[in-house]
């Protein structure tokens, strides 16, 4: 059986990287709650290692704003 253990600095580094990615992605999508998503991910990842972070990550992916394309102008109109 394969076991993956995140502890100490590796756990904190993974939590910080995940929170930073969520924050940047949420800001790009113009979400007002970007900071709350990042803090929620960090806390869940540290308190409930991996499972909590993954749960928040999946919930975020389901609730984030979808990207919308920019309006395209048609030449000659």
């Amino acid at each position: 059986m394969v076991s993956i253990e995140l502890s100490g600095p590796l756990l904190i580094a993974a939590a910080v990287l995940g929170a930073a990615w969520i924050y940047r992605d949420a800001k790009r999508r113009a979400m007002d709650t970007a900071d709350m998503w990042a803090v929620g991910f960090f806390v869940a990842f540290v308190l409930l290692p991996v499972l909590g972070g993954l749960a928040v990550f999946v919930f975020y992916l389901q609730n984030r704003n979808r990207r919308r394309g920019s309006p395209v102008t048609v030449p000659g109109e």
Side-chain angles (χ1 to χ4, degrees):
M1 183 156 122
V2 175
S3 172
I4 298 174
E5 183 177 331
L6 290 176
S7 62
L10 187 59
L11 176 71
I12 299 300
V16 168
L17 288 174
W21 182 85
I22 285 177
Y23 180 79
R24 290 185 66 214
D25 186 62
K27 277 298 191 185
R28 248 186 316 206
R29 295 171 190 276
M31 294 176 70
D32 294 333
T33 57
D35 53 346
M36 293 189 327
W37 280 108
V39 170
F41 176 84
F42 182 83
V43 169
F45 201 90
V46 172
L47 291 181
L48 305 167
V50 182
L51 293 179
L54 289 176
V56 171
F57 183 69
V58 168
F59 187 70
Y60 167 74
L61 289 177
Q62 290 176 347
N63 290 309
R64 69 184 182 170
N65 297 336
R66 300 287 180 227
R67 286 191 177 173
R68 294 177 183 89
S70 59
V72 177
T73 58
V74 178
E77 284 190 11

